[in-house]
Amino acid sequence: MVLNDTSTCQPDYDRKAELRAFDETKTGVKGLVDAGITEVPRIFHLPSPENLNSQQPELTLPTIDLQGIGEDPIRRKDVIVKMKVALESWGFFQLVNHGIPNNILEEMMKGVMDFYEQDSEVKKQWYTRDMSGKTRVVYNSNFDLYAAPVTNWRDTFYCTMAPNPPQPHELPPPCRDILLEYSKQVMKLGVCLLELMSEGLGLDRNHLLDIGCADGLGVLGHYYPSCPQPELTIGTREHNDNDFITILLQDHIGGLRVFYQDRWIDVPPIPGALVVNAGDLLQLITNDKFVSSQHKVVANKVGPRVSVASFFTTGHIQNSKVYGPITELLSEDNPAKYRGTTIKEYLDYFNAKGLDGTSALLHFKI
């Protein structure tokens, strides 16, 4: 079977067979690019071409500066208000002076790049579709390869870093040390952000921590190879995140877009900044007070692009805790909009559905 035949109207196009053939290479999208393809294979084709032009430059994501929030109570209150406004409207913000040193950010991105640029045979030992949590590191291309309508131009590894931190030998050597260090720093930052968000909701500072929003951390290393026909495909299809909050580290290339006021807005990289967004679970427990916004990553002729997404969720770890809208946020005028769910039930539904452009939250609406 030929992987680089781009025609979608041939009667002998067997999508499942082509997906299987792609999966069995265990080299992901990077393997296709390394092989020198000049046309995007059919499995990656969008129903209609993507508009790659920079969009709505007059609208920019809010930027929040954490400088001085530990010493100055007035400054802290100001930051809480700004964060609340950003999460109620955009669901996203850029974060500066967040406390993670630049050299750690750079080492983390280098660690991800080094993982993907290993010899293919070495990298294949990490390749798996077992999402049960048995393996500490899950590396593959498109977690939803067999469910999603369009294959994304992206390879990913996922590693559960909390609640049970991995032993060093369980992590890939190219990013082993930095993954452990970066995760510690991101966890500390996430705890700080969740405290600010709790106060923004009018709750006790520790409320979101006490109900377990920082109990789990999964770190994803994304690799978006250069694409010969970027308008035909997508780096990551439009989706909402399946966690409480996400802290994203992105390189200088860009490509992230957020859906805001019925249009797609570019999120240009700011050197040294992180991007923070609310996930579906935060929208659910805040009863739509904070919004989990759709976002996507466009493909690019320039590459590879690397990003590191830190997801605050316990993921596939068995946990019977049921999450529903926080009682203190409800009233006669603002009744619960969602039924309770465990994180595992929510995640199982999200993963089975795949990135199909619809929100998994609809399934849990009352």
Side-chain angles (χ1 to χ4, degrees):
M1 179 190 39
V2 182
L3 267 174
N4 66 351
D5 185 346
T6 58
S7 167
T8 51
C9 56
Q10 289 181 15
D12 64 345
Y13 174 53
D14 183 344
R15 181 173 174 81
K16 274 193 179 162
E18 295 207 8
L19 290 172
R20 221 168 16 252
F22 168 67
D23 199 18
E24 285 167 4
T25 66
K26 297 189 175 182
T27 56
V29 179
K30 185 178 189 299
L32 297 176
V33 174
D34 289 347
I37 63 153
T38 56
E39 294 183 331
V40 169
R42 293 176 285 197
I43 58 171
F44 296 94
H45 282 204
L46 291 167
S48 56
E50 181 72 19
N51 178 5
L52 298 175
N53 295 326
S54 189
Q55 295 177 336
Q56 309 301 334
E58 74 280 5
L59 281 171
T60 54
L61 212 59
T63 297
I64 292 177
D65 185 345
L66 293 189
Q67 187 81 47
I69 60 162
E71 301 82 47
D72 183 348
I74 294 168
R75 174 103 190 85
R76 183 183 176 90
K77 276 187 181 166
D78 182 47
V79 166
I80 288 167
V81 170
K82 282 183 176 161
M83 197 174 290
K84 174 176 176 281
V85 170
L87 290 170
E88 287 174 346
S89 53
W90 286 83
F92 269 79
F93 55 88
Q94 300 246 31
L95 191 67
V96 296
N97 292 314
H98 43 68
I100 303 181
N102 267 349
N103 66 306
I104 298 286
L105 303 180
E106 284 161 17
E107 274 184 58
M108 187 65 246
M109 283 192 287
K110 182 181 183 300
V112 173
M113 186 73 83
D114 289 351
F115 171 83
Y116 286 102
E117 296 194 342
Q118 294 177 101
D119 182 86
S120 291
E121 292 308 311
V122 175
K123 207 165 47 185
K124 278 180 187 179
Q125 68 181 299
W126 302 98
Y127 196 94
T128 179
R129 293 216 167 265
D130 183 353
M131 297 287 285
S132 66
K134 285 180 202 157
T135 46
R136 182 62 79 163
V137 175
V138 174
Y139 152 60
N140 58 44
S141 186
N142 290 255
F143 75 92
D144 55 353
L145 184 68
Y146 296 102
V150 172
T151 307
N152 293 182
W153 196 259
R154 178 193 79 247
D155 300 329
T156 301
F157 72 75
Y158 176 87
C159 184
T160 303
M161 302 303 292
N164 310 306
Q167 296 301 310
H169 72 268
E170 295 179 283
L171 299 174
C175 51
R176 177 177 291 161
D177 295 339
I178 190 60
L179 247 180
L180 291 164
E181 177 58 32
Y182 181 72
S183 300
K184 274 187 217 158
Q185 302 247 7
V186 162
M187 178 56 85
K188 187 177 164 193
L189 175 60
V191 165
C192 167
L193 293 173
L194 287 162
E195 288 176 347
L196 295 166
M197 289 175 196
S198 288
E199 291 185 66
L201 290 164
L203 302 168
D204 178 80
R205 179 184 293 195
N206 292 316
H207 193 105
L208 293 176
L209 298 175
D210 290 344
I211 63 172
C213 295
D215 284 0
L217 178 67
V219 176
L220 289 81
H222 293 307
Y223 183 92
Y224 299 88
S226 59
C227 181
Q229 298 168 300
E231 70 286 350
L232 295 185
T233 186
I234 191 90
T236 300
R237 195 154 184 221
E238 62 271 21
H239 67 287
N240 309 70
D241 284 352
N242 57 10
D243 60 354
F244 291 105
I245 61 169
T246 305
I247 298 176
L248 178 78
L249 167 62
Q250 59 172 340
D251 69 12
H252 64 285
I253 290 174
L256 175 64
R257 291 180 177 175
V258 174
F259 197 65
Y260 177 70
Q261 293 184 351
D262 298 324
R263 48 201 158 159
W264 289 104
I265 312 295
D266 280 316
V267 182
I270 298 173
L274 295 164
V275 178
V276 178
N277 64 280
D280 280 356
L281 294 173
L282 189 64
Q283 178 165 335
L284 185 148
I285 63 171
T286 63
N287 210 42
D288 290 349
K289 178 83 170 158
F290 290 167
V291 297
S292 168
S293 292
Q294 276 207 328
H295 51 290
K296 64 182 177 181
V297 177
V298 295
N300 200 323
K301 280 193 174 174
V302 179
R305 173 185 185 261
V306 163
S307 69
V308 184
S310 299
F311 278 53
F312 282 75
T313 172
T314 49
H316 289 279
I317 293 163
Q318 288 289 352
N319 185 342
S320 57
K321 184 169 175 56
V322 174
Y323 285 91
I326 295 167
T327 310
E328 289 86 342
L329 302 179
L330 303 179
S331 65
E332 218 175 294
D333 297 333
N334 183 33
K337 296 174 183 175
Y338 300 97
R339 64 176 176 84
T341 178
T342 63
I343 292 179
K344 187 174 183 312
E345 182 201 2
Y346 169 80
L347 204 56
D348 286 346
Y349 176 76
F350 181 97
N351 286 345
K353 183 179 77 66
L355 303 187
D356 62 357
T358 67
S359 170
L361 276 180
L362 297 171
H363 182 69
F364 299 92
K365 278 242 174 193
I366 291 174

